[in-house]
Amino acid sequence: MRKHTMGLLAMAAATTLTLSACGGAEVGGEPEGEESAAGGEGITIGIKYDQPGLGLQDGAEYTGFDVDVATYVANELGYSEDQITFKETPSANREAMLQNGDVDMIFATYSITDERKEVIDFAGPYFVAGQDLLVAADNTDITGPQDLEGKNLCSVTGSTSAEKIKTEYAEGVQLLERPGYAECVTALSAGQVDAVTTDDIILAGLAAANGDGNLKVVGNPFSEEKYGVGLPKGDDQCEAINEAITKMIDEGAWEEAVAANTEGADYTPNADLNPPTPEACA
């Protein structure tokens, strides 16, 4: 398992993270003589390109927890690293890319939902995230969403995360929207906001990429998001993928991947939910 280093370069790449990310662009192509997303010798895996600690492109290199799990699973399925092609898979395009055969599977903070299961299949989950808060490392006032009353909170434009806090926990919170999470982190570091909100492991990746140890994840998640492996409807690899995820957990490689990709963020996954047990395939 590679240990990834994420610093200012990762934060620069993260500035591209928006809810209206452009369509997937394949980088580097596939090794000569190999095919993917079409039943050939290689495999094409959809990931995010702009999430530090989860899925991040840096030239021809791809790093992050999603990338590590995807690589481990692909190896267990019989693919060497040079047979794997990573392809950018923005959130809005994930179902369509599976249905169109653009990718064979997706590891991209892809929450398992009943609505999505109507059109695609899932293996996993391989991680259970929860909405949480990112604050200054020396902040002792904010221990959960209820403490945001009268404070300033940043989230990405169009996200429902901040609105959930305003509606359910702190009616008087002041919301600040930015086009990407990197801009929210900049605002937090500058003292313009008191907190940033989204899934805890995404926040941990951002904190690790910030690189100065001045930010922390509160560690009090208040939702449950099961990250699954997106598959085309009727795909026959679910059981094998679940076995690979279980093996990764049992070997300790899963825990190593979490630690390596959130180093410096003082982050520990929710121990009640992680590591998860993959659900039975339909």
Side-chain angles (χ1 to χ4, degrees):
M1 185 68 61
R2 295 191 304 266
K3 188 175 179 81
H4 307 303
T5 302
M6 297 179 290
L8 293 177
L9 181 61
M11 285 300 294
T15 59
T16 62
L17 178 61
T18 67
L19 294 182
S20 58
C22 61
E26 190 172 342
V27 175
E30 299 163 10
E32 185 177 354
E34 292 179 2
E35 300 176 4
S36 59
E41 296 178 5
I43 187 169
T44 300
I45 300 177
I47 60 170
K48 296 290 182 68
Y49 275 15
D50 50 13
Q51 283 187 340
L54 286 156
L56 184 69
Q57 181 199 15
D58 176 12
E61 295 294 316
Y62 304 92
T63 61
F65 178 69
D66 281 352
V67 174
D68 285 346
V69 179
T71 301
Y72 187 100
V73 168
N75 290 165
E76 288 297 308
L77 294 177
Y79 299 97
S80 60
E81 290 198 29
D82 62 2
Q83 291 178 299
I84 302 170
T85 297
F86 289 114
K87 191 164 188 174
E88 185 177 26
T89 312
S91 295
N93 299 356
R94 289 178 297 200
E95 285 86 42
M97 292 181 73
L98 286 168
Q99 291 172 318
N100 295 337
D102 297 322
V103 293
D104 296 300
M105 57 186 65
I106 292 176
F107 292 75
T109 60
Y110 203 1
S111 295
I112 300 172
T113 67
D114 289 339
E115 182 180 8
R116 288 170 177 161
K117 287 164 83 172
E118 292 179 3
V119 294
I120 66 163
D121 287 341
F122 281 103
Y126 60 90
F127 190 85
V128 182
Q131 186 178 344
D132 211 324
L133 303 170
L134 186 70
V135 299
D138 60 358
N139 185 301
T140 58
D141 296 332
I142 299 174
T143 61
Q146 69 282 351
D147 297 324
L148 291 170
E149 189 70 34
K151 292 183 169 58
N152 298 315
L153 174 68
C154 187
S155 193
V156 168
T157 302
S159 169
T160 60
S161 299
E163 197 59 46
K164 174 184 176 72
I165 290 175
K166 187 176 182 67
T167 302
E168 299 182 18
Y169 296 98
E171 184 178 353
V173 68
Q174 303 300 311
L175 303 183
L176 176 71
E177 291 188 336
R178 288 290 182 265
Y181 288 113
E183 289 88 346
C184 279
V185 171
T186 298
L188 177 60
S189 297
Q192 297 171 353
V193 297
D194 300 292
V196 180
T197 189
T198 187
D199 289 355
D200 54 358
I201 194 169
I202 296 176
L203 295 174
L206 290 165
N210 196 46
D212 57 13
N214 290 331
L215 303 176
K216 69 177 180 181
V217 180
V218 167
N220 185 16
F222 46 96
S223 72
E224 187 175 316
E225 303 292 337
K226 297 179 180 179
Y227 289 173
V229 184
L231 298 167
K233 197 70 175 172
D235 192 274
D236 62 1
Q237 298 183 94
C238 178
E239 294 285 0
I241 293 170
N242 281 352
E243 290 174 6
I245 292 169
T246 300
K247 182 178 178 180
M248 185 179 187
I249 292 168
D250 291 344
E251 287 184 345
W254 181 94
E255 187 175 0
E256 291 175 5
V258 173
N261 288 293
T262 61
E263 186 177 10
D266 191 24
Y267 169 72
T268 302
N270 186 334
D272 292 334
L273 302 173
N274 289 288
T277 300
E279 299 174 353
C281 298

